[in-house]
Amino acid sequence: LGLVPVLAHPERYVSCTPGAVTEWRALGARMQVDATTLLAASARGARARRLVAHGLADILAADNHGDYRSLATVREALVEQGAGEQAELLMARNPGSILEDDATAPVPPFRLRLSWIRRLRGLLAEEDA
């Protein structure tokens, strides 16, 4: 039918391994990872970072519900860590390509490092849960 499925939030699934996502992409699906989850010191955050580390994310979107979550914070983090090209592809070019009914561009793999303060916040949040 010419439709391209976009799987939103694949990082939410425990079954979301690089191998599984590679298969989903081979079937034609594209992956939309929650941008703010990339910065989370949680299991979901780790899964999201694995996807970008393997070049398996196509789009980053903010799961914003009128709160603090924003693409700007994530864009800054990516640029600071030398992934400006990836930020442009994930947050502008690939979403634009989908809107224009064009193919998405491959996103070069990169490793996003969390600051020690984010990791500490994640540990404290897990203890509060």
Side-chain angles (χ1 to χ4, degrees), residues 16-104:
C16 178
T17 64
V21 174
T22 298
E23 289 182 37
W24 299 340
R25 287 171 50 88
L27 294 170
R30 294 296 165 249
M31 302 298 123
Q32 177 181 307
V33 173
D34 179 58
T36 54
T37 301
L38 279 176
L39 303 180
S42 64
R44 283 184 185 176
R47 285 191 294 272
R49 287 187 295 281
R50 268 194 301 278
L51 292 182
V52 298
H54 285 89
L56 297 172
D58 299 290
I59 303 164
L60 289 180
D63 189 13
N64 188 304
H65 296 274
D67 56 16
Y68 68 91
R69 292 172 277 193
S70 164
L71 286 173
T73 303
V74 177
R75 178 180 289 280
E76 281 179 24
L78 295 179
V79 170
E80 285 174 8
Q81 294 189 29
E85 174 190 2
Q86 289 89 339
E88 177 67 19
L89 285 165
L90 290 164
M91 297 180 190
R93 286 184 35 205
N94 280 348
S97 293
I98 288 174
L99 291 174
E100 295 294 326
D101 201 24
D102 289 332
T104 56

